[in-house]
Amino acid sequence: MSETPVDPDEVRHTADLARIDLDEDEVERFAVQFADILSYFDALDDVPEVDAEADLVNVMRADEVRDGLSQEEALRNAPETEDGYFKGPSVS
């Protein structure tokens, strides 16, 4: 199925990027396999385009500014606080 040959140097370069050691037989085998894979992508050119879906529309409500909790109210149910802030466990 391979129509476009893949240069063995490209296979070696790809293998180097992936940090894979290939011997010469593997390079040749992968060159053929890469060419087959690329030919599948070429086949996508023959697929007809479809109409694009309409743009997405925000179906959520508009944001509203509302009063939030005061610092004291927010900290009221915290298990531990320190100097007006939430206190969490030490991480280290």
Side-chain angles (χ1 to χ4, degrees):
M1 178 167 199
S2 63
E3 297 171 12
T4 307
V6 174
D7 186 341
D9 288 334
E10 292 174 342
V11 174
R12 287 185 199 90
H13 178 68
T14 303
D16 287 342
L17 292 174
R19 298 180 184 190
I20 298 172
D21 292 326
L22 299 177
D23 62 34
E24 284 308 306
D25 290 338
E26 291 171 318
V27 169
E28 292 302 320
R29 189 173 56 208
F30 278 112
V32 171
Q33 291 176 357
F34 285 174
D36 287 343
I37 291 167
L38 292 174
S39 70
Y40 286 116
F41 282 99
D42 289 339
L44 291 176
D45 291 337
D46 299 331
V47 176
E49 291 184 27
V50 295
D51 292 334
E53 294 182 18
D55 291 336
L56 295 176
V57 180
N58 185 0
V59 295
M60 307 298 280
R61 65 169 172 74
D63 289 337
E64 306 174 352
V65 176
R66 295 191 273 177
D67 291 334
L69 298 175
S70 69
Q71 185 174 3
E72 183 180 302
E73 292 170 321
L75 294 173
R76 187 176 300 143
N77 290 326
E80 282 190 73
T81 63
E82 187 175 293
D83 298 327
Y85 297 96
F86 293 100
K87 183 176 181 182
S90 296
V91 181
S92 58

